[in-house]
Amino acid sequence: MDLKIILDKHHKWLKNEPEGARANLRYVNLSRADLSCVNLSRADLFGADLSYANLNDADLSYANLNNADLSYANLNRADLNDADLSCADLNRANLSRAHLSCANLNYTNLSCANMNRTDLCGANLRGARLIRVKNIDTVLWDTYTNFYPLQCPETGAFIGYKKAYDKIIMLEICADAKRSSATSRKCRCSKATVLSITNLDGTACELTALASNYDSKFIYRVGEIVEVPDFCEDRWCECAKGIHFFITRDEAVQYSC
């Protein structure tokens, strides 16, 4: 495969010139390739291996990157507007100041990616994996950005489960409590009633009070309301101040504190 010829023909195709041809790089191995400033707008890169590739300032707008491997790739300032990145792997990719307006990031793996001032206006992130994303609080988004949905109900009271010292605390999150969830299954709230404390296997426990794993002065007492007055409302700050819990008991049991 002569990449230079493919790129030259693609450039002609974009300009509607004779002998032009859309770049077909499906499943091609471009790992560690230097593609900085290259114009691959509307190119077909389905399933391509672009891991560790240098795509700094590259134009990948409207490109088909479905199922592509972009792990550890440098996409600093890259144009990915309207690109299809569904099911792509962007683990630890550098997306600093990249443009992903209206991009399809459905079920995309963005774990540990650097998203410093990444433009996600109008992007679809339904089902995207955003665990430990760096600088997510600087992401640019708008009302059309389709984020990962909240795990907890947005209104009303509901039941949650918390693990502490190998015990499970069942909570009723108060109807007037502030609540949030980031991109994992773990949720946070500002206020809850302690309903019970049980063993991991679900059997009864003699304890009626239990301290938090992280603050020995914060006590969960059965029948009483616990509250965090300085609850952090930043959805993306998953480990911020609040009462942390899961929607299902099994998730709380499996959680490694």
Side-chain angles (χ1 to χ4, degrees):
M1 179 195 73
D2 192 323
L3 184 58
K4 185 178 184 306
I5 292 175
I6 291 173
L7 293 176
D8 286 343
K9 287 186 175 182
H10 185 71
H11 184 66
K12 290 178 180 178
W13 177 77
L14 289 171
K15 297 172 67 176
N16 292 317
E17 293 181 356
E19 300 181 1
R22 182 190 182 197
N24 182 357
L25 295 165
R26 293 171 70 90
Y27 299 107
V28 170
N29 184 358
L30 294 167
S31 180
R32 301 183 185 278
D34 184 1
L35 297 168
S36 56
C37 302
V38 73
N39 188 349
L40 280 168
S41 176
R42 302 180 185 275
D44 187 357
L45 290 149
F46 183 97
D49 184 356
L50 290 153
S51 58
Y52 296 92
N54 180 13
L55 290 154
N56 183 60
D57 287 307
D59 186 351
L60 292 159
S61 57
Y62 296 93
N64 179 13
L65 288 154
N66 188 306
N67 279 283
D69 183 356
L70 288 149
S71 56
Y72 294 90
N74 178 17
L75 290 152
N76 182 50
R77 295 190 304 271
D79 184 352
L80 290 153
N81 291 329
D82 292 279
D84 182 5
L85 288 148
S86 54
C87 300
D89 186 359
L90 284 147
N91 175 48
R92 299 185 186 277
N94 178 17
L95 289 162
S96 179
R97 299 182 184 274
H99 303 280
L100 286 145
S101 179
C102 298
N104 183 5
L105 294 157
N106 197 16
Y107 293 100
T108 301
N109 180 14
L110 290 156
S111 300
C112 302
N114 179 8
M115 299 187 75
N116 178 44
R117 298 194 63 77
T118 303
D119 182 2
L120 291 173
C121 292
N124 176 15
L125 288 108
R126 298 283 282 186
R129 185 174 175 82
L130 294 153
I131 305 299
R132 298 189 182 90
V133 170
K134 299 176 183 177
N135 302 307
I136 197 166
D137 56 320
T138 69
V139 164
L140 308 178
W141 58 279
D142 60 14
T143 55
Y144 298 103
T145 304
N146 196 346
F147 279 122
Y148 194 94
L150 292 173
Q151 300 297 340
C152 53
E154 294 186 43
T155 58
F158 62 98
I159 302 299
Y161 300 87
K162 177 177 185 66
K163 187 177 186 178
Y165 296 103
D166 287 330
K167 304 294 180 185
I168 298 299
I169 303 170
M170 184 164 71
L171 304 165
E172 180 182 17
I173 286 70
C174 301
D176 61 342
K178 297 176 181 177
R179 73 283 304 272
S180 182
S181 56
T183 57
S184 73
R185 294 286 298 174
K186 189 165 68 171
C187 305
R188 290 186 296 113
C189 71
S190 64
K191 185 178 178 183
T193 301
V194 182
L195 298 180
S196 67
I197 300 173
T198 55
N199 296 315
L200 293 181
D201 61 4
T203 57
C205 172
E206 295 181 358
L207 294 176
T208 58
L210 192 62
S212 164
N213 278 2
Y214 301 100
D215 183 356
S216 60
K217 295 180 180 180
F218 196 88
I219 309 296
Y220 294 90
R221 289 188 174 87
V222 176
E224 295 186 7
I225 293 175
V226 285
E227 187 170 5
V228 178
D230 54 347
F231 174 78
C232 177
E233 297 189 50
D234 183 354
R235 175 185 178 184
W236 304 111
C237 195
E238 186 171 275
C239 296
K241 290 185 178 180
I243 300 165
H244 294 249
F245 65 93
F246 291 94
I247 299 297
T248 68
R249 190 180 193 282
D250 185 59
E251 287 174 305
V253 170
Q254 297 299 324
Y255 178 65
S256 178
C257 297

